[in-house]
Amino acid sequence: MAAAVAMAAAAMAAAGTRERLHRWSKETAAQRFSPQKEDTRKRHIRLHVEGTLTARDKVGVQDFVLLDAYTSEAAFLENLRKRFRENLIYTYIGTLLVSVNPYQELGIYTASQMELYQGVNFFELPPHVYAIADNAYRTMCSELSSHFILISGESGAGKTEASKKILQYFAVTCPMTESLQIARDRMLLSIPILEAFGNAKTLRNDNSSRFGKYMDIQFDLQGIPVGGHIISYLIEKSRVVYQNHGERNFHVFYQLLAGGEVGCLSSLGLEQDPQLYKYLSQGHCARESLINDKNDWKTVSTAFSVIDFTEADLESLFGIIASILHLGNICFKEDKQGCASVPDTHEIKWISKLLGVCPAVLLEALTHRKIEAKTEEVMCPLTVELSVYARDAMAKAVYGRTFTWLVNKINSSLVNKDFTPKTVIGLLDIYGFEVFDKNGFEQFCINYCNEKLQQLLIERTLKAEQAEYESEGIEWEPVQYFNNKIICDLVEERHRGIMSILDEECIRPGPATDLSFLEKLEEKVGTHAHFQTRKLAGPKGRKRIGWLEFCLLHYAGEVTYSTKGFLEKNNDLLYRHLKEVLCRSRNSILRECFLVAELENRRRPPTVGTQFKNSLSSLLELLVSKEPSYIRCIKPNERKEPSKFDDFLISHQIKYLGLMEHLRVRRAGFAYRRKYEHFLQRYKSLCPDTWPHWHGPPGEGVERLIKYIGYQPQDYKLGKTKIFIRFPRTLFATEDAFECSKHQLVSRIQATYKGCLRRREYVRKRQAATTLEAHWRGALARREIKRRKWAVQIIRRFVKGFINRARPLCPDNEEFVVLVRKNYILNLRYHVPKSVLDKSWLRPPGILENASDLLRKMCMRNLVRKYCRGVSAERRVMMQQKVVTSDLFKGKKEGYADSLHQPFACSRLGEGHINPKVLQLLSSEKIQYGAPVIKYDRKGFKARPRQLLLTQRAAYVVELSRIKQKIEYSALRGVSTSSLSDGILVIHVSPGDKVQHKGDVILQCEHVFEVATKLAMLIKKEHAIRVVQGSLQFYISPGKEGTIVFETGVEEQVYKGKNGQLRVVSGCVSATNNSALKEELGPGSLLVSAALQSGVPEKTRRQM
């Protein structure tokens, strides 16, 4: 508004109208606050105070604290959605910033934006990451205190980008000297190096940080950045040796192969194809179209040169990277004694050359283990499995320590040697709360870290709120909140916490396994309210917890962890023999990473969990000494699509980031607080006593202003220096009244100025307009006559063409026929069938019937071809099984038609449903299929729940942890089922079999067609499945037979008749709602059912 008024006044002065504007402003002020109109104006303001809301309903509030329904997660989500829809990705919760990744460029990170936020009060501009950075910087400079900015969120939520934007903001806006320019460049260029060595492509993010990072930016007392320091946490070393499908190793490996010079690669024994290296090809996505490894390598090379990496450093560093790739390609084979050997030592030679070690010593260290017994050393050969473990452990240890060396190298280039007092702003880019389908040791550590950070956040927020209330003389009302200290103690308590129990299992003598660790947890912390296992859980909880899993109730919800690999990852041991080899390496970096002094220390190194807990404690001590700012990053969808807002995914992140809890704490008292000076400066135009200037104390001016507006006593409190407003709607109404008043004032000034300008222009343009209009009307008339002549000719030609449309193509009808063809083709594109089952087609004109038929055939062939190509291998197998089911049951058994639309499953039992002891007994055979069944005793016909497991050689009937009956397929005489809709299945065993005395097996299963088909395909016997009517005979024992009678009735039941026979009553089969199935299963499954029901030739069906 001030800018508009200044522009208007300047223009009027230039035009000689200053005196008139001054006279008008006096008249306006007099009219505005005259006694006659004062009552009307006062009522108008109060009408706004009673609740007028404008554009706020469209774009939401920019601070969640101002939400009326602040306890409602739905209202929170709706406000976030409104802002995201308008590309407003930032929202405050007090001083906490919520950032939603837009997955597109919004143009809000320009130099002009940085200037806009520089030195501005925190709440005067819309929320932005620059506002957080500027507020921390200004507070640091004014109070000479250190700050930190905590950035957290899921992978792909934009944490790394947020930290980059903050660094760029400091680099551009902070005062800078030429001598300190190098330090700034090194700080910025350290990011691509750390990303190359610490980031990787995951399923959720193409540039996911696989380590936690804390960066201190050091400032002198004048606010000039003079240095920095970086601390890394828990790098994911296991990624070096293993990647999940769809993921990659760390970027640096691919960047070196893609961007390294040919001479450099040949000196390292490398080739450019990453598929040649086992450590790079396990995820099957070594080449990623969205990642330009070659250009990234150029950026990293530039950063190396700026951060003082010498040629010797780079030679040693590249040698380590290459040696890790060669390590992954070492193949071990078992010799005659069962020990590991390396038949091809080509990779060993390259590793020895690159690391500067003896090839024979390295080979021996990979295939043997040195065991020390008092004064004697014994070389014990390793098995192939242990050699692979030693190889991978060496790769992880080398990479992990090299990464630590790299961070230290960067720190040495950023260190400031001036020892004068300094303040710092820390950036903590840390992993957010993680919940996957399978959660392991890494997720356990990450979520423990988030528990501690959440505890720090809530405590610091409560402390800040209480301190502000006390300083302003307002009564503090205690806030009820969930204190997650009980969960932190469960994890970290000495001798009793999960971490301590894990360390005890790692160091205790005797065989320690993940299962024994779980049993120890049940023994030590089984009574804890936030801990559960399958054994300790109730009947409902057991279904979601596996045999080797435990569940923790975190502040953000339940998380189930698999103990598989906990001990190995916590130990992370490197054999002493290998450590000796690395300590004697001539590689300069390894000499710094593996010190000879380590060999002299016989104490067991601390476990990974202990190291992480200690580093986290150090981090928290560091954070407690600084003033906090928080940024919570949210990922809007899994596919990285712009403008797509996934409610379920975002609600999940809101919960795990603790945003609702933070909002509840922030809103426990008053929603809005502002200094008297700022409040009065903004809203003084709403009261005649304070406009245009208030000459008394600001507190009195604010008190008079709010009484004039009409605030109720319960709506506000007046502190010593601030006004506290309790309800957001009170502030919104005041803001709306201010907007109305502001627009009225500006509109009057603009109207007067514009009227003056327009009158001048009008006089000058009126004559010119008259002349132009006369000439223009003549030109329009001539153009209209010409257009009408042309239109008449066109209409005549097309009328003539319509009359002669049935004749062969000739000049008389050519244009008309071409038009008809064009219109038909253009309309046809909107009516093309979308699927093979869609038989609709746009009716053609008579002259295009043949062409229409050809197009229809081509379209149908194309749809069929697309469908056939889109059928996956797994679906093709399912279709083949459906064909077998058709041969077995079509027209023979009731309920078959209803089963056509139901897809078959690979198995109805997961590994978590099968007892581990059964899996151990069947370890030599792969379970092809499993399903829950009910087995009826052959004598008393008592129903017993069982599991039916099918392998390549036999079928097993299992009760919990015991195999009740094994049926070899060679001894299987046949399988019988009834023609009715029941699920009874009788497996007949040959009398000559050694288990014949157990007789035939009577089973009842829900998916009888699926089970029978799987069994028929495994036994590979023609006519093995028999569908009987009425009744069937089965063996009870040698020489004794029983009878099963099948019949229909009102209610399905299985019972023993009075005559000793087993009677199976089937219910009446109802018609299936095909329309609902079509919607649920789609055209693919309907094609299969249509093919099976219409009698497609057998050869064609088996090829589907």
Side-chain angles (χ1 to χ4, degrees):
M1 182 185 75
V5 173
M7 289 173 60
M12 289 181 182
T17 57
R18 183 190 299 273
E19 185 177 348
R20 181 166 42 188
L21 175 62
H22 182 64
R23 185 168 58 253
W24 171 85
S25 63
K26 283 186 177 181
E27 293 171 357
T28 301
Q31 293 173 1
R32 187 178 178 198
F33 298 114
S34 63
Q36 296 83 0
K37 295 187 178 181
E38 182 59 31
D39 292 339
T40 304
R41 179 177 176 274
K42 195 169 183 178
R43 285 196 302 271
H44 179 67
I45 291 177
R46 285 183 177 174
L47 178 65
H48 277 278
V49 171
E50 288 170 6
T52 346
L53 298 176
T54 54
R56 192 177 301 106
D57 292 328
K58 180 180 178 183
V59 301
V61 296
Q62 67 182 18
D63 192 337
F64 284 111
V65 173
L66 300 179
L67 279 176
D68 279 335
Y70 68 92
T71 59
S72 168
E73 185 175 334
F76 190 101
L77 194 66
E78 179 61 25
N79 189 70
L80 205 62
R81 183 190 296 106
K82 286 179 181 179
R83 296 182 64 76
F84 184 74
R85 193 183 300 131
E86 300 296 325
N87 287 332
L88 301 172
I89 63 171
Y90 294 118
T91 313
Y92 290 135
I93 305 179
T95 56
L96 182 146
L97 180 68
V98 179
S99 170
V100 184
N101 194 338
Y103 292 123
Q104 60 178 324
E105 288 293 334
L106 298 179
I108 59 175
Y109 303 108
T110 60
S112 59
Q113 284 283 318
M114 295 182 187
E115 294 176 4
L116 183 65
Y117 280 87
Q118 189 174 2
V120 178
N121 188 276
F122 189 73
F123 293 104
E124 288 189 9
L125 289 174
H128 202 290
V129 68
Y130 292 159
I132 295 288
D134 185 74
N135 184 65
Y137 177 75
R138 285 189 298 106
T139 308
M140 178 199 70
C141 292
S142 61
E143 300 178 2
L144 297 179
S145 60
S146 295
H147 284 248
F148 75 88
I149 301 175
L150 171 59
I151 308 171
S152 63
E154 279 195 12
S155 178
K159 302 187 298 296
T160 303
E161 286 301 313
S163 63
K164 288 181 183 177
K165 300 304 179 188
I166 293 173
L167 283 175
Q168 290 169 2
Y169 180 82
F170 289 146
V172 171
T173 60
C174 293
M176 186 62 61
T177 61
E178 293 183 6
S179 60
L180 296 173
Q181 187 76 23
I182 297 175
R184 187 194 73 171
D185 293 342
R186 287 175 177 174
M187 197 175 302
L188 292 175
L189 288 174
S190 66
I191 296 176
I193 295 180
L194 291 175
E195 286 185 356
F197 283 85
N199 290 22
K201 179 193 181 309
T202 64
L203 293 174
R204 297 189 174 190
N205 185 5
D206 289 343
N207 188 33
S208 175
S209 297
R210 308 315 300 160
F211 70 105
K213 178 180 65 178
Y214 177 78
M215 173 184 286
D216 264 339
I217 309 168
Q218 299 172 347
F219 297 85
D220 63 12
L221 298 182
Q222 297 178 350
I224 301 175
V226 295
H229 186 78
I230 299 170
I231 305 174
S232 64
Y233 298 96
L234 194 65
I235 185 166
E236 188 184 13
K237 295 187 291 185
S238 58
R239 181 170 293 273
V240 175
V241 299
Y242 177 75
Q243 307 91 44
N244 293 321
H245 184 79
E247 297 189 351
R248 300 206 314 173
N249 208 322
F250 292 103
H251 292 324
V252 67
F253 295 107
Y254 307 93
Q255 292 173 1
L256 175 61
L257 296 182
E261 297 178 358
V262 177
C264 176
L265 293 180
S266 62
S267 66
L268 299 172
L270 300 177
E271 297 184 27
Q272 290 186 330
D273 186 5
Q275 299 288 351
L276 299 176
Y277 303 98
K278 179 185 176 183
Y279 282 167
L280 304 185
S281 58
Q282 296 175 86
H284 302 288
C285 61
R287 299 188 186 277
E288 180 62 37
S289 58
L290 298 178
I291 301 175
N292 193 330
D293 293 315
K294 190 172 183 179
N295 285 348
D296 292 342
W297 178 251
K298 292 179 181 177
T299 304
V300 172
S301 299
T302 303
F304 279 143
S305 61
V306 173
I307 306 181
D308 276 353
F309 279 81
T310 64
E311 289 294 331
D313 289 337
L314 295 179
E315 183 180 351
S316 298
L317 186 60
F318 296 162
I320 291 173
I321 298 171
S323 66
I324 291 174
L325 296 181
H326 288 302
L327 262 176
N329 284 1
I330 295 177
C331 296
F332 298 97
K333 288 189 178 180
E334 192 174 56
D335 59 16
K336 295 179 180 180
Q337 288 76 30
C339 302
S341 64
V342 180
D344 185 1
T345 60
H346 175 74
E347 305 292 349
I348 295 287
K349 293 176 182 177
W350 270 110
I351 297 170
S352 303
K353 177 183 176 183
L354 295 171
L355 299 185
V357 298
C358 176
V361 174
L362 176 61
L363 179 60
E364 183 184 49
L366 290 172
T367 56
H368 292 73
R369 183 178 182 183
K370 183 183 292 185
I371 299 176
E372 297 182 1
K374 295 183 179 179
T375 59
E376 200 175 358
E377 291 185 352
V378 179
M379 298 301 293
C380 178
L382 301 177
T383 63
V384 172
E385 292 77 9
L386 290 176
S387 292
V388 171
Y389 171 81
R391 177 197 66 188
D392 293 345
M394 176 180 173
K396 292 188 290 184
V398 168
Y399 193 85
R401 298 202 187 190
T402 301
F403 185 79
T404 303
W405 175 88
L406 191 72
V407 173
N408 293 335
K409 180 69 176 179
I410 294 174
N411 286 335
S412 65
S413 69
L414 297 178
V415 69
N416 183 264
K417 298 179 181 179
D418 180 10
F419 296 103
T420 57
K422 298 178 184 64
T423 54
V424 301
I425 294 180
L427 290 179
L428 179 58
D429 178 359
I430 201 78
Y431 9 67
F433 204 92
E434 289 189 353
V435 183
F436 301 136
D437 294 335
K438 288 290 184 182
N439 301 291
F441 179 73
E442 291 84 359
Q443 282 69 45
F444 175 75
C445 293
I446 287 170
N447 294 344
Y448 162 56
C449 172
N450 277 270
E451 284 285 358
K452 297 293 287 184
L453 292 175
Q454 174 71 6
Q455 186 181 26
L456 176 68
L457 169 64
I458 296 298
E459 288 178 353
R460 293 295 291 268
T461 303
L462 279 173
K463 185 177 179 181
E465 287 283 295
Q466 186 174 2
E468 184 175 23
Y469 278 48
E470 290 176 354
S471 65
E472 291 293 326
I474 295 178
E475 184 180 356
W476 168 255
E477 300 175 1
V479 179
Q480 297 297 324
Y481 70 99
F482 172 65
N483 189 345
N484 65 339
K485 183 178 184 300
I486 186 174
I487 305 173
C488 297
D489 290 343
L490 171 63
V491 176
E492 66 183 6
E493 190 175 5
R494 287 191 66 184
H495 306 304
R496 298 179 59 187
I498 295 176
M499 286 281 196
S500 297
I501 297 172
L502 179 60
D503 286 350
E504 287 177 11
E505 280 297 292
C506 289
I507 64 176
R508 75 175 178 86
T513 64
D514 297 326
L515 183 58
S516 67
F517 165 60
L518 184 62
E519 292 171 348
K520 186 64 70 68
L521 287 179
E522 292 173 341
E523 176 187 341
K524 292 281 186 74
V525 296
T527 58
H528 200 283
H530 294 262
F531 177 84
Q532 272 190 340
T533 64
R534 188 183 181 94
K535 178 180 177 181
L536 301 174
K540 294 183 180 179
R542 289 175 187 158
K543 296 181 180 179
R544 50 189 172 79
I545 303 177
W547 291 100
L548 289 176
E549 294 178 343
F550 66 90
C551 177
L552 290 185
L553 182 59
H554 289 279
Y555 76 90
E558 290 187 1
V559 183
T560 301
Y561 299 98
S562 172
T563 59
K564 187 176 182 180
F566 258 60
L567 296 181
E568 179 184 338
K569 292 177 180 178
N570 189 50
N571 268 324
D572 195 26
L573 291 177
L574 180 65
Y575 290 151
R576 181 177 179 83
H577 199 180
L578 276 173
K579 190 179 289 187
E580 290 177 356
V581 173
L582 295 174
C583 287
R584 297 189 181 96
S585 170
R586 292 191 297 274
N587 185 291
S588 59
I589 295 177
L590 289 186
R591 281 203 307 272
E592 295 182 37
C593 295
F594 294 90
L595 302 176
V596 179
E598 290 186 42
L599 302 177
E600 300 173 359
N601 185 4
R602 300 291 179 173
R603 296 183 63 184
R604 183 185 181 92
T607 61
V608 174
T610 300
Q611 293 178 42
F612 183 71
K613 184 171 70 172
N614 294 338
S615 62
L616 182 58
S617 299
S618 302
L619 173 65
L620 291 176
E621 290 177 7
L622 196 66
L623 298 184
V624 167
S625 64
K626 297 177 173 60
E627 293 298 319
S629 297
Y630 304 99
I631 299 176
R632 293 288 192 261
C633 299
I634 291 177
K635 179 167 60 175
N637 59 79
E638 290 284 8
R639 298 185 177 180
K640 308 169 191 171
E641 296 178 4
S643 304
K644 184 176 180 182
F645 193 91
D646 188 334
D647 286 19
F648 178 79
L649 178 65
I650 294 176
S651 177
H652 175 87
Q653 293 174 82
I654 290 172
K655 178 180 179 183
Y656 289 141
L657 289 172
L659 298 182
M660 293 300 298
E661 182 80 4
H662 183 79
L663 174 59
R664 197 170 65 81
V665 170
R666 200 71 171 77
R667 265 294 301 270
F670 294 87
Y672 178 82
R673 68 286 310 265
R674 202 73 181 273
K675 284 188 175 295
Y676 289 141
E677 295 83 354
H678 297 154
F679 189 85
L680 185 62
Q681 178 65 28
R682 183 168 183 81
Y683 300 115
K684 63 182 179 180
S685 62
L686 299 179
C687 175
D689 295 338
T690 57
W691 177 261
H693 299 291
W694 172 256
H695 299 288
E700 294 180 8
V702 170
E703 189 172 3
R704 189 169 299 185
L705 169 63
I706 60 178
K707 285 183 180 178
Y708 180 84
I709 294 175
Y711 277 19
Q712 299 300 317
Q714 66 271 16
D715 292 344
Y716 70 96
K717 289 283 185 183
L718 295 177
K720 296 178 180 178
T721 62
K722 293 182 181 179
I723 176 174
F724 290 76
I725 298 177
R726 188 178 299 277
F727 305 111
R729 195 160 291 271
T730 304
L731 177 66
F732 294 158
T734 307
E735 186 67 23
D736 292 335
F738 170 66
E739 288 293 325
C740 178
S741 174
K742 179 176 66 174
H743 288 304
Q744 289 176 354
L745 179 61
V746 173
S747 297
R748 292 293 299 273
I749 295 174
Q750 290 177 339
T752 302
Y753 178 61
K754 290 177 182 177
C756 178
L757 293 180
R758 296 300 177 266
R759 281 191 292 273
R760 291 178 188 173
E761 288 294 316
Y762 174 74
V763 175
R764 184 177 62 82
K765 291 180 179 178
R766 185 169 52 188
Q767 292 181 343
T770 303
T771 305
L772 286 172
E773 287 172 358
H775 286 84
W776 181 242
R777 289 193 189 101
L780 289 178
R782 287 189 292 273
R783 186 183 299 174
E784 182 65 19
I785 292 174
K786 191 174 181 180
R787 190 178 66 84
R788 289 185 178 183
K789 288 180 179 179
W790 172 83
V792 167
Q793 293 174 358
I794 295 297
I795 292 171
R796 283 177 179 172
R797 287 207 302 270
F798 276 88
V799 169
K800 192 173 181 180
F802 177 77
I803 296 172
N804 298 290
R805 65 186 183 279
R807 295 175 55 190
L809 197 64
C810 61
D812 292 339
N813 64 4
E814 182 177 5
E815 289 189 28
F816 177 78
V817 170
V818 170
L819 178 65
V820 170
R821 289 175 179 170
K822 179 180 178 181
N823 287 340
Y824 177 69
I825 295 298
L826 292 176
N827 289 332
L828 182 59
R829 63 179 174 173
Y830 299 111
H831 299 83
V832 174
K834 304 300 182 186
S835 70
V836 179
L837 299 179
D838 187 359
K839 302 300 181 184
S840 62
W841 189 260
L842 183 65
R843 184 178 179 181
I847 59 176
L848 294 177
E849 287 182 353
N850 293 336
S852 175
D853 291 340
L854 291 174
L855 288 174
R856 188 172 186 176
K857 290 178 182 179
M858 291 169 62
C859 179
M860 188 55 63
R861 288 175 183 173
N862 185 46
L863 289 174
V864 171
R865 185 183 298 109
K866 283 183 178 179
Y867 174 76
C868 292
R869 289 178 178 176
V871 175
S872 64
E874 181 180 352
R875 194 167 183 81
R876 185 176 290 107
V877 171
M878 189 271 286
M879 291 180 177
Q880 290 171 350
Q881 292 174 358
K882 285 286 186 179
V883 171
V884 174
T885 308
S886 173
D887 294 339
L888 295 175
F889 297 107
K890 182 180 177 184
K892 299 177 184 178
K893 185 173 177 64
E894 292 182 4
Y896 167 72
D898 294 337
S899 73
L900 288 175
H901 308 293
Q902 301 173 2
F904 284 175
C906 296
S907 178
R908 297 290 174 179
L909 294 174
E911 283 193 11
H913 298 92
I914 302 173
N915 195 286
K917 292 184 179 179
V918 175
L919 292 174
Q920 187 175 4
L921 290 173
L922 299 180
S923 59
S924 60
E925 300 183 57
K926 183 179 179 182
I927 297 175
Q928 303 294 327
Y929 178 77
V933 297
I934 296 176
K935 179 181 178 295
Y936 291 93
D937 292 347
R938 287 175 288 277
K939 295 181 179 180
F941 300 122
K942 184 176 181 180
R944 301 181 187 276
R946 297 287 188 268
Q947 293 178 345
L948 177 63
L949 305 179
L950 304 180
T951 68
Q952 284 290 73
R953 295 186 297 178
Y956 296 88
V957 179
V958 175
E959 175 190 8
L960 295 178
S961 62
R962 296 185 299 169
I963 297 177
K964 297 295 290 184
Q965 188 169 353
K966 174 181 179 182
I967 306 169
E968 298 280 353
Y969 294 149
S970 59
L972 195 146
R973 186 160 50 90
V975 180
S976 298
T977 183
S978 76
S979 60
L980 301 180
S981 61
D982 57 80
I984 296 296
L985 197 71
V986 180
I987 302 176
H988 301 283
V989 183
S990 298
D993 189 81
K994 63 182 180 180
V995 294
Q996 186 274 336
H997 64 277
K998 289 192 175 181
D1000 296 342
V1001 182
I1002 306 171
L1003 304 175
Q1004 183 181 21
C1005 52
E1006 182 181 355
H1007 307 280
V1008 64
F1009 295 104
E1010 180 177 307
V1011 173
T1013 302
K1014 301 278 189 179
L1015 188 55
M1017 296 180 73
L1018 285 170
I1019 62 180
K1020 300 178 181 177
K1021 289 184 180 181
E1022 296 183 1
H1023 312 299
I1025 307 299
R1026 185 166 62 98
V1027 181
V1028 300
Q1029 296 182 352
S1031 64
L1032 66 83
Q1033 303 295 320
F1034 67 93
Y1035 277 109
I1036 297 176
S1037 61
K1040 186 176 180 181
E1041 292 186 347
T1043 304
I1044 303 177
V1045 178
F1046 301 96
E1047 54 191 359
T1048 58
V1050 178
E1051 183 179 358
E1052 295 183 357
Q1053 55 181 327
V1054 180
Y1055 64 95
K1056 182 179 180 181
K1058 294 181 180 180
N1059 56 359
Q1061 297 176 341
L1062 179 63
R1063 307 190 72 85
V1064 181
V1065 181
S1066 303
C1068 298
V1069 180
S1070 59
T1072 306
N1073 190 343
N1074 288 326
S1075 63
L1077 285 169
K1078 286 180 183 180
E1079 293 179 4
E1080 181 180 356
L1081 301 173
S1085 295
L1086 294 182
L1087 278 175
V1088 177
S1089 63
L1092 295 177
Q1093 289 178 333
S1094 61
V1096 174
E1098 182 179 357
K1099 181 178 180 182
T1100 304
R1101 284 186 284 149
R1102 293 191 182 277
Q1103 293 174 350
M1104 291 178 62

